[in-house]
């Protein structure tokens, strides 16, 4: 990933809710960093049997992702990931926040993000090509903030980071994936991101 945390050990007050939130951020980071392998696809299918029960955007997104994971292969998803997010020349869908905020890569939002990461004691790992505004890196930062800051102060840090660096553009990103010609499995991943981030956004609005 594009960030290097000083510590990712859970704090003593880590709740079941925080654990679930951290796990969802970690899962989204993994799915957008690289295509899932066969073991992860199988795990998604199993998890969806539990989290996909019930009504509402979040369980319905999990149910749809589980069905998609069961119906595809690692090879097919790998080809889709490459066509969507890598491609030849410019990818079908960009994974970087600066693109959605300014229409360009490595613009002012990235500089502001780097300043905030420096304040948090986080930095880019050597040898990582992706910039810090990559959706996978941002999800990984949120996971770190959830795991290491379960108290009121930590929640304020989570809210500030999410509101500044994810909330303004994740909806546009999900919409672009949904409209991409090569998208299939990742439409379902996007729906889960949308549902989960919507829940996070609503909760942060109450902080």
């Amino acid at each position: 990933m594009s960030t290097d945390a000083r510590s990712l050990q859970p704090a003593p007050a880590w709740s079941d809710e925080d654990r679930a939130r951290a796990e969802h951020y970690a899962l989204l980071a993994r799915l957008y960093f690289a295509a899932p392998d066969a073991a992860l696809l199988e795990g998604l299918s199993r998890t969806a049997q539990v989290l996909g029960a019930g009504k509402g955007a979040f369980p319905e997104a999990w149910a749809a992702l589980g069905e998609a994971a069961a119906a595809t292969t690692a090879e097919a998803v790998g080809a889709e990931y490459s066509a969507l997010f890598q491609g030849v020349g410019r990818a079908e869908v960009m994974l970087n926040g600066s693109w959605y905020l300014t229409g360009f890569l490595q613009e002012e939002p990235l500089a502001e993000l780097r300043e905030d990461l420096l304040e948090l004691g986080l930095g880019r790992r050597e040898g990582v090509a992706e910039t810090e505004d990559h959706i996978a890196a941002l999800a990984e930062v949120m996971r770190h903030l959830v795991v290491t800051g379960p108290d009121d102060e930590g929640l304020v840090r989570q809210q500030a980071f999410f509101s500044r660096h994810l909330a303004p553009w994740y909806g546009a990103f999900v919409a672009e994936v949904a409209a991409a010609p090569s998208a299939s499995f990742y439409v379902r991943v996007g729906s889960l991101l949308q549902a989960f981030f919507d829940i996070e956004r609503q909760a942060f609005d109450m902080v």
Side-chain angles (χ1 to χ4, degrees), residues 39-195:
L40 180 52
L41 288 173
E42 183 180 350
L44 291 172
S45 181
R46 289 197 309 269
T47 301
Q49 295 175 18
V50 178
L51 298 183
K55 299 292 184 181
F58 182 72
E60 288 169 6
W62 255 113
L65 179 58
E67 290 176 4
T72 191
T73 64
E75 292 75 18
V77 179
E80 179 183 340
Y81 184 95
S82 179
L84 275 175
F85 305 125
Q86 295 169 333
V88 178
R90 190 176 88 79
E92 284 184 37
V93 179
M94 304 302 291
L95 291 162
N96 306 87
S98 292
W99 177 263
Y100 296 94
L101 295 171
T102 69
F104 299 95
L105 297 175
Q106 301 195 35
E107 290 293 313
E108 185 175 350
L110 179 57
E112 293 172 350
L113 170 62
R114 285 171 173 165
E115 290 177 2
D116 287 350
L117 290 174
L118 186 61
E119 283 190 25
L120 292 169
L122 302 175
R124 189 175 177 183
R125 290 177 183 169
E126 292 184 8
V128 174
E130 293 80 9
T131 53
E132 295 89 334
D133 63 340
H134 190 288
I135 186 67
L138 294 172
E140 193 173 65
V141 171
M142 284 301 300
R143 173 190 177 273
H144 167 74
L145 294 178
V146 172
V147 170
T148 60
D151 55 4
D152 290 342
E153 253 183 61
L155 189 59
V156 170
R157 287 193 296 272
Q158 295 169 39
Q159 189 271 344
F161 189 88
F162 184 93
S163 297
R164 189 175 193 188
H165 300 298
L166 280 166
W169 65 276
Y170 75 81
F173 166 68
V174 169
E176 190 160 331
V177 173
S182 299
S184 177
F185 175 81
Y186 272 91
V187 174
R188 305 308 180 192
V189 178
S191 295
L192 180 62
L193 183 150
Q194 178 88 54

